Each structure stands twice: as C-alpha cells, then as structure tokens.
C-alpha cells in the first residue's frame, strides 16, 4: 500500500493530516529548514540564560519559580523535571491517540519556540516511522499543558521507560538536559491530538447527516420549503446556508406534494440545528489548525530578539470552549435525528404499520431502535456537560485557572461512537420505510447512490428479529469514507424473506 508523505514544518499541518499520520495513512518527513533553525537556536538560548533568569532553565517551575537552580545541579535538572512530572494515572492512552500526540508535539517543536536538541526531533520522528510508542496514561492534565503525558514521553526518549510496539531496534536513548525537559512538556499535544482525531471522524459523520435526513424526508414526502434559498438569505448563518444548499442539491430531482402544511421540527428545523453543528465544527477546526502549528513553549524563545518571553500560551481556553461548543451542538443534531426516527415509526406520517413492522398483529418492527437511539443520546447528553465549567487552583496558588480542555477532548472522542449509532438508527428506519412504500430517491445523483449502498447492505426483511447487526452495518457505512462505501461488508446475520 502506497502512503502519501506529509512534511512537518511547524506551520502548515492540519487536523486531518494529524489523523492520517496517527492512523498510518501517511508517512511524515521533517522540513530540513525548520529542523536546522531549531539546531541553530541553542547558542542563542545559552546566551540569553547567561545574562538573565529564565523560568525552567535557571529557576524551578510552578511555585518554585523563585528558586534558583545552582550551577552544581543544572546538568541533572532536566531529568529531575521529567521524573517529577511524569506521574500520569488511569488507563493507557490508545495507540492512535499517542501517535497523534507525538505528531502534534513534533510539529510544534519545529515552529522554533524552543532550543531543544535536534536529536529529540529525530528520535520522535524515528519512533513514529517505525511504530514505537511511549506508554502514556490518560489522566494528568487540566487543560494547561499535558505535563504528565509528555513527561512519560521524555523518560521514554531518555531510556528510563521502555518503548512499546514497533519493528526493528528501538530508538536509542537520549541524554536530555534542561534545554529539552521543560520545552518538551510545555504543550497540550495529547489533548490537541485527541481533538484532531475526534474532529476528523465527526467531520465525516456530520457530512452524512443531510443524506440520512434526505432519505427520511423522501420516505415521508416532506416539504422542501425549509431549505429554500430565500429563507436563508434573510437569516444568513453560514452553517444553515450550507446545510440548506446541500439539501436542495440532494433533493433537486424530487417532485411531490407534501401532505402537511409544515413538517415536524426534525425536518423543518434541520438547517438551524445542524447548521449550528457545522459552524461549531468549523470553529473547532480553525482552533486546531492554530494549536497544531503553534509555538507554545513557556518560556518562548524569540530568536530574532535574542530573548525569552514568559507567557501563558500553554493555556487551552480557546480549544476547551470550541470542544464544549461542538459537543453541545452535536447533542442537538443527534436529538433531531431521534425525532425523525420517531416520525418514521408513526403511521400518521408514513401510512405504514406502526414501527414499520410487518402485517402480523402486534409485531414490534423497529420499536427497539427508539430505545437504543435514546440510550446513545443520553450518553451524548452526559458528554455535553461543558468541561470549561471546571476550576482549579494548584501549585500553592500561583496557577489559579484551568480550561479542562483535556477532559473536553476525551468527551468528544467518546461522543463519536454514540453520535454514529444515533444516526445509524435513523438510516435503518429510513431505508425500511422507503422499501415498504416502494419509493426511491429521484434521479441518479448522490442521494440515490447513498440509498443504493444502504439498500445493498441492510437486510430487507421486516420480520421481527434482532436488529443489532442492522444498526452496526449502518454505522459502519456512515463511518466509511464515501469512496469506500461499496466495500463495507455487512455482518453475517439470519434473514427471513
């Protein structure tokens, strides 16, 4: 399999590229100019610390910022920092999230805000290329830097903790100094990498929502008036306009008279609700682009001015708020999907048997899908609690605020699967309703192709049976890149014809 190559230069990496590298879909290269600039920065950094106090290089950290590091211990100070800050707890971070962390941190270091040894860059690149990972624990950050996770990376680079996985000889241990320790840890790279993975997956799923909703609208012969261009010209929110335009494109060949003057909110308010989710996703993607390519080290080296700036750029307030916004918006989009599911199971809207069941008296049909969709929605509701409501005062009171973006990123990762399952339940019901009514999306465009793929994969039987495989098959289709939809295989299941 041929992989594309992505060059890390500290300035141009996207969230989607982070995901591709973390999942082994691309190979990384280091920009030679950016690498050389990091190498040249060391002499400048040494001159600065020779004339002034610099946090974390000539002083302690946190509340120990006023304590000077004597010359007699400066050579061991870096390793002491890494050891003392590496105490993460909880479950081990999954491999692809760890690879995303390494990718983000490597790219940030290439931006030039620190004078780390270029061997650090080379070892991280080598580890990523050969599949070696540090063991990183999930808990230890509060949105002001992933200190414990990156401390564990530092000890692994130094040979005090073992690499895991990989092929061939493990990366050789490095001698890490004060020039490497604090800069290496001074980032939210794990949080940013996790957010990039979640945003990539949700971007795909959010793009599927109009397709699923358009199938539902076709099955119900609902109104297309809510998507009229005129409606959204007079209230021009970008996400709503984008959603409405997509629905107009998908439904352009349709020609039917809607039986209702206006539809329930699940269809009528889709541009407003899902449009907000699209805007929230775009906002997160923008923040991630900034963070992935940011110089965040504190203190931050300014090569041109030959000085260090002490600052709070490690604080992930922007990211934390963007994560909270997307989880809240995702909840509303998912809730609207469950309302459309309920409409599909209601004879007053479909003229079909209750729950899209067969003709046998008392058959339950898709009744259980409402239960399981609401169960998944409840998980989304729990995850939507804003993490930025948290507060912390630590390090003897000198660090008195936190974004808890790290918690928000984990909650967004958890939300991906639950959102996908909610949408899958609607897809199963929409396809069954279309089949039972003998309807097809008009034309031969994208919506018809989407329906044909779903109809190929989903069991056509309406007999009462276990529906787990149906929902899982629909979820797998929704998660697959569009060009791979035809290759998604349905799980083995019993069929009744």
């Amino acid at each position: 399999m041929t992989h594309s190559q992505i060059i890390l230069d500290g300035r141009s990496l996207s969230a989607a590229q982070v995901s591709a590298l973390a999942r082994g879909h691309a190979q990384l290269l280091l920009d030679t100019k950016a690498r050389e600039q990091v190498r040249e920065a060391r002499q400048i950094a040494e001159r600065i610390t020779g004339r002034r106090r610099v946090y974390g290089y000539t002083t302690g950290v946190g509340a120990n910022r006023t304590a000077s590091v004597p010359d007699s211990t400066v050579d061991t100070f870096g390793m002491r920092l890494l050891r003392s800050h590496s105490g993460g707890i909880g479950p081990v971070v999954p491999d692809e999230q760890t690879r995303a962390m390494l990718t983000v941190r490597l790219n940030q270091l290439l931006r030039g805000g620190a004078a780390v040894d270029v061997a650090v860059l080379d070892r991280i690149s080598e580890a990523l290329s050969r599949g070696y990972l540090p063991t990183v624990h999930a808990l230890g950050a509060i949105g002001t830097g992933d200190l414990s996770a990156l401390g564990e990376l530092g000890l692994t680079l130094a040979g005090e903790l073992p690499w895991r996985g990989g092929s061939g000889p493990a990366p050789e241990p490095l001698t890490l100094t004060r020039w490497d320790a604090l800069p290496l840890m001074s980032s939210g790279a794990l949080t940013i990498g996790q957010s990039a993975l979640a945003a990539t997956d949700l971007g795909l799923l959010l793009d599927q929502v109009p397709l699923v909703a358009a199938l539902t609208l076709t099955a119900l012969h609902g109104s297309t008036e809510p998507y009229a261009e005129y409606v959204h010209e007079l209230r021009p929110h970008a996400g709503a306009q984008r959603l409405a335009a997509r629905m107009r494109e998908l439904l352009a060949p349709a020609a039917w008279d809607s039986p209702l003057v206006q539809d329930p909110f699940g269809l009528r308010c889709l541009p407003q609700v899902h449009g907000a989710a699209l805007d929230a996703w775009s906002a997160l993607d923008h923040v991630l682009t900034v963070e992935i390519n940011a110089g965040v080290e504190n203190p931050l080296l300014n090569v041109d001015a030959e000085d260090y700036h002490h600052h709070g750029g490690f604080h992930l307030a922007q990211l934390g708020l963007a994560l909270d916004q997307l989880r809240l918006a995702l909840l509303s989009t998912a809730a609207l999907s469950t309302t459309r599911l309920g409409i599909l199971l209601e004879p007053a809207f479909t003229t079909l048997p209750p729950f899209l069941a067969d003709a046998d008296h008392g058959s339950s049909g898709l009744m259980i899908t409402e239960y399981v969709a609401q169960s998944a929605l409840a998980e989304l509701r729990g995850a939507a609690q804003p993490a930025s409501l948290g507060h912390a005062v630590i390090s003897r009171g000198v660090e008195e605020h936190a974004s808890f973006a790290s918690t928000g990123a984990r909650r967004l990762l958890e939300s991906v699967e639950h959102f996908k399952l909610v949408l899958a339940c609607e897809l199963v019901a929409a396809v069954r309703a279309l089949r039972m009514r003998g309807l097809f999306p008009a034309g031969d465009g994208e919506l018809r192709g989407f329906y044909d793929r779903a109809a190929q994969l989903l069991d056509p039987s309406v007999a009462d049976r276990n529906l787990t495989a149906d929902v899982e098959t629909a979820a797998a289709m929704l998660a697959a890149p569009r060009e791979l939809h035809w290759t998604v295989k349905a799980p083995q299941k019993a069929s009744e014809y």
Side-chain angles (χ1 to χ4, degrees):
M1 181 177 180
T2 302
H3 296 293
S4 61
Q5 291 183 329
I6 297 173
I7 298 175
L8 273 58
D9 61 5
R11 297 177 182 275
S12 60
L13 192 63
S14 69
Q17 289 174 320
V18 169
S19 298
L21 289 166
R23 289 166 173 162
H25 301 157
Q27 296 174 335
L28 69 83
L29 295 173
L30 301 188
D31 181 82
T32 54
K33 181 179 179 181
R35 181 184 178 279
E36 180 62 17
Q37 287 174 339
V38 173
R39 188 189 67 79
E40 292 173 350
R42 175 62 63 84
Q43 289 184 342
I44 295 172
E46 290 175 348
R47 288 200 296 269
I48 298 169
T49 56
R51 70 171 188 262
R52 62 167 292 195
R53 302 182 79 199
V54 180
Y55 176 86
Y57 295 98
T58 66
T59 76
V61 298
N64 290 335
R65 69 196 186 285
T66 59
S68 297
V69 178
D71 292 341
S72 59
T73 63
V74 73
D75 291 339
T76 63
F77 182 59
M79 287 305 299
R80 286 190 282 122
L81 271 183
L82 290 171
R83 292 172 189 136
S84 62
H85 283 67
S86 61
I89 60 174
V92 173
V93 173
D95 288 357
E96 73 170 25
Q97 295 176 30
T98 304
R99 284 193 292 270
M101 178 190 82
L102 296 182
T103 301
V104 170
R105 194 67 196 105
L106 182 55
N107 190 67
Q108 290 176 329
L109 287 169
L110 286 164
R111 186 62 189 262
V116 297
D117 194 314
V118 291
V120 173
L121 308 180
D122 295 339
R123 284 294 190 279
I124 296 175
S125 176
E126 177 188 351
L128 280 167
S129 298
R130 293 166 56 187
Y132 282 98
L133 297 173
T135 298
V136 174
H137 292 86
L139 302 180
I142 57 175
T144 55
D146 295 326
L147 299 175
S148 62
L150 293 167
E152 290 172 315
L153 167 61
L155 292 186
T156 307
L157 289 167
E160 290 196 6
L161 291 177
W163 294 99
R164 58 189 179 86
S167 59
E172 289 292 325
L174 292 174
T175 300
L176 299 180
T177 69
R178 59 173 174 162
W179 302 107
D180 309 310
L182 183 60
L184 185 64
M185 294 189 292
S186 192
S187 163
L190 176 58
T191 298
I192 296 164
Q194 290 170 324
S195 300
L197 291 167
T200 300
D201 292 342
L202 286 172
L204 175 63
L205 291 173
L206 292 171
D207 191 50
Q208 309 293 311
V209 170
L211 289 160
V212 178
L215 289 186
T216 296
L217 187 136
T218 301
L220 300 170
H221 278 175
S223 174
T224 59
E225 291 179 19
Y227 315 111
E229 186 174 5
Y230 178 77
V231 171
H232 299 282
E233 283 180 350
L234 298 189
R235 194 170 184 247
H237 289 296
Q241 288 184 309
R242 175 181 160 193
L243 184 282
R246 181 96 188 278
M247 292 295 283
R248 290 195 302 272
E249 181 182 358
L250 293 171
L251 297 165
W256 60 68
D257 293 323
S258 177
L260 299 176
V261 174
Q262 59 182 19
D263 292 328
F265 279 18
L267 293 167
R268 182 156 44 108
C269 297
L270 180 62
Q272 291 73 29
V273 175
H274 187 55
L278 295 176
D279 285 340
W281 184 91
S282 295
L284 174 60
D285 188 59
H286 172 75
V287 171
L288 283 172
T289 299
V290 172
E291 296 294 346
I292 290 166
N293 298 287
V296 294
E297 296 80 18
N298 178 45
L300 189 68
L301 178 62
N302 185 334
V303 171
D304 293 335
E306 292 208 5
D307 206 355
Y308 273 105
H309 301 284
H310 296 91
H311 66 102
F314 50 81
H315 196 296
L316 293 176
Q318 290 275 12
L319 180 57
L321 290 170
L323 291 166
D324 284 353
Q325 181 187 21
L326 181 53
R327 293 197 315 280
L328 286 163
L330 197 67
L331 173 63
S332 290
T333 284
L336 220 58
S337 179
T338 64
T339 69
R340 293 192 298 272
L341 174 61
I343 295 167
L344 286 165
L345 304 186
E346 172 52 54
F349 293 104
T350 64
T351 70
L352 296 170
F355 308 112
L356 302 178
D358 65 16
D360 291 342
H361 181 70
S363 291
S364 297
L366 298 183
M367 179 191 294
I368 196 62
T369 59
E370 282 195 288
Y371 290 76
V372 297
Q374 289 291 341
S375 178
L377 185 67
E379 296 298 313
L380 288 169
R381 190 178 300 114
Q385 171 76 8
S388 55
L389 291 175
H391 180 59
V393 178
I394 58 174
S395 196
R396 299 175 62 195
V398 302
E399 297 177 6
E400 70 279 17
H401 192 269
S403 71
F404 288 95
S406 46
T407 300
R410 290 194 297 272
R411 296 295 88 81
L412 189 65
L413 279 167
E414 294 167 6
S415 297
V416 173
E417 183 68 18
H418 298 127
F419 180 73
K420 179 173 60 179
L421 290 171
V422 170
L423 200 60
C425 289
E426 182 188 356
L427 178 57
V428 168
V431 170
R432 182 181 284 204
L434 286 164
R435 282 170 164 163
M436 293 177 73
R437 296 195 70 182
L439 299 174
F440 301 92
D444 58 359
E446 182 183 3
L447 186 61
R448 180 57 188 264
F450 181 74
Y451 170 77
D452 288 343
R453 290 190 289 273
Q456 180 195 39
L457 294 171
L458 293 172
D459 192 333
S461 172
V462 297
D464 282 352
R465 54 190 170 77
N466 183 292
L467 294 167
T468 301
D470 296 70
V471 176
E472 290 178 345
T473 297
M477 176 181 163
L478 291 170
R482 201 171 302 169
E483 64 272 16
L484 298 180
H485 277 166
W486 278 112
T487 67
V488 176
K489 302 298 182 183
Q492 291 294 108
K493 53 186 179 291
S495 300
E496 297 181 32
Y497 297 94

